[in-house]
Amino acid sequence: MANYSVCGIDCDTCKFKAEQNCDGCKLLKGKVFWGECELYKCSSGKGHEHCGMCSDFPCNKLQEWASSENPERIDNLKSLMKQG
């Protein structure tokens, strides 16, 4: 099973794992190499394991991020939700 971030990025295949020595938002509790992740903060603040569990999924912020980088993240979260 993939190592997904709260927003659906597969951390094991993400280019930033090697380039920035990033362990992913879950291990880093939202404090990733570029700063504090607002998607992590939102999801964890609502008590969700990931954004796919939110009643607002996919929210405007998640859609905005997916449109600029890692567009597969929304589909990854949909797959996670189907797996239960």
Side-chain angles (χ1 to χ4, degrees):
M1 187 164 148
N3 176 22
Y4 290 125
S5 66
V6 298
C7 68
I9 293 173
D10 183 348
C11 293
D12 291 336
T13 62
C14 180
K15 68 180 182 178
F16 296 117
K17 181 175 183 169
E19 287 179 12
Q20 300 291 333
N21 196 31
C22 182
D23 290 325
C25 65
K26 288 182 179 179
L27 287 176
L28 299 172
K29 301 203 184 308
K31 294 180 179 29
V32 292
F33 67 94
W34 49 264
E36 186 173 11
C37 177
E38 62 187 295
L39 289 174
Y40 178 90
K41 187 176 180 179
C42 178
S43 183
S44 65
K46 292 179 179 179
H48 299 315
E49 184 179 331
H50 55 76
C51 294
M53 301 174 83
C54 185
S55 61
D56 293 330
F57 174 77
C59 70
N60 290 337
K61 182 56 71 178
L62 180 60
Q63 290 181 58
E64 176 186 328
W65 286 24
S67 70
S68 65
E69 194 162 336
N70 302 101
E72 74 283 357
R73 67 178 84 202
I74 291 174
D75 288 336
N76 289 345
L77 290 169
K78 287 178 181 177
S79 293
L80 262 181
M81 292 305 294
K82 287 180 185 175
Q83 293 173 13

